[in-house]
Amino acid sequence: MERYKHYTDASRIILPVVDVLIIFGAFRLTGFFILDSWEFTSYYPFFFAIFGLLWWILSKEYANIYRIDRLITYPEKLLYLIRTFLIHASLVLAGAMLFDTEWLMVRYIVLVYSLSVVGVALGRFLLAFGYRLYCTHIARAHTHFIIVGTGNSGQELQRFLESHDPSNKFLGFFTDEKVADHLQSLVKGSIADLKEFCSKTQVDEIYFAMPLDQRDLIEDLSRFADDHFLSFRIVPDFSGTVRQDVNVYFYDHMPILTIRNEPLGMRTNQAMKRLFDIFFSLTVIVTVFPVVMGILGLLIKLDSPGPIFFKQLRPGKRNQLFPCYKLRTMQANHGQTELQATKNDMRITRIGKYLRKYNLDELPQFFNVLMGQMSVVGPRPNMLSQLEEYSKHIRTYQMRHAVTPGITGYAQVNGYRGETREAGTMEKRVEYDLKYVQNWSFGLDMKIIFQTVWNMVRGEKNAY
C-alpha cells in the first residue's frame, strides 16, 4: 500500500556507475587477497561482467528508490541495499550451480560480496553526505516559497523543505487563524495580505496547506498564481478536513485515507505475525508442555476436585466467539463463571492463586494460538458479560476487537490487568489496547513478550 518512486534519471545512471566501479575495486582486492595477484585474467573478468550487469539491473529496480510519503532514512537505505544484494547473491549462486562453475572458489565469492556490500554502502552514504554538504554550504537558494495555513500539514511541509532541500527558502506563513507563540515570528500576515506580499517580494511557489473544503479560496489563489507566473501547489490537510488524524496510503496513483492506523490490516504483517504465532506456540507446546503441564495438572487435582482445564466462550476477532482454554484456578461448579475475579476471591483455589500470580493458568491458550483463534500478543479476550457492559459505556471498546486477541497484551504489561471495578480502569486498558492496534510492529510484540516473561518471574500484584 505504500508508494515508491525511483530517483531522477541522472541519479539512476550515476548511482549504478559508481556502484559498478566500487564492485570492480572489490574484485581486484579479492584477487589480491585470495589469488595473491593483481592480475585480472581467466574467467574472472567474465564473472565481473555478469556480476556488475546483474547489479546494474537489480539496483535500478530495488535500490534507487524513495518514498513519496516521507524521506527514506539511512537505516532504510542500508536495508534496501542489503535486500538487493541478497537477491543478487541468490541469482548468482543459482547460476553457478546450474552451470557447474567449479573454478569459482567459495572464499572468493564470500569476500567479493563482503567488500562489495561494504563498499557500495559507504559509497552511497558518502555521496549523500557530500550532496548535503554542498546544498548546505555552497549552493544558493533558488526557490522562494510561502505557505497558506499553519496546521500540521503546513508545519511539516516547512520543516521538510527547509531541512532536506537547502535550495528552498521559506518566506513565511499566511493564515487567518490564531497561531501558537513559537509560530508568531514566522507568520507574515493574513490570507488577505498574501497578494500584496507576493507583489513586493520575490516569491516562486505558493503552497496551500489548508482543508480542501476551501474551494473558493483555492480557485482565487490559483488564478492569482497563474496571473503572476507563480507555482501554486496544494498540500492536502486531510486532518483539518475530517478533524481527526488520518493516514494516507496509495493504490498506484490513488490516495486512500484511513482515520486509524492499521498495521495489521496489511497482508504482509498479518502473515509475519501468524507465522511467528505458529512457531512460538509449537515451541512452547513441544518443549514446555510435556513437563510443566503434567506437574500443574497433578497439583490442580490434588488441591481440589474437578477438571484440570476450564473452557469458556470469549469474543475474538470481530466478536467471533471461540472456546478459550485455561487451567482451572477456581472451585468447580461455583456457578459464577461470568463474575470477574476479585482480590481474596473465595472461589480461587490454593494452587489457583499461584497459577494466576505467575500467569501459568494461561498456558493452554497456546493451543488457541496454534488453531488461529488467538495470538501470542494482542488485546486480552474479555468475558461476554464485559463485552456487553463496556460496549455501552466506552465508545472505542469494540475497536480492540479489530485484531486477534492475545495471551498477553500491551495493557497487561503496563499494569492494567485484573479487576476493573475502579473508575477509569477499563478505559485505560482499552486505551493501551488501541495503542497496540494502531502502532503494531514485530518489535513491539517482542518487547511485550519479554516484559511478560519478566512479570511472570517476579509475579504480578494485580493478578488474582
Side-chain angles (χ1 to χ4, degrees), residues 393-435:
H393 307 298
I394 304 175
R395 188 185 63 82
T396 55
Y397 183 85
Q398 292 279 11
M399 292 165 58
R400 67 192 295 276
H401 290 184
V403 299
T404 307
I407 295 177
T408 184
Y410 194 46
Q412 282 66 42
V413 297
N414 281 282
Y416 294 100
R417 60 162 298 170
E419 197 173 1
T420 56
R421 289 186 179 182
E422 293 183 13
T425 304
M426 181 53 80
E427 284 81 355
K428 292 298 293 184
R429 185 179 293 186
V430 172
E431 177 187 333
Y432 274 92
D433 285 338
L434 295 185
K435 283 181 180 179

Side-chain angles (χ1 to χ4, degrees), residues 38-55:
W38 286 107
E39 291 185 8
F40 198 51
T41 57
S42 185
Y43 295 101
Y44 295 104
F46 174 73
F47 180 45
F48 163 71
I50 299 297
F51 193 104
L53 179 61
L54 184 58
W55 175 255

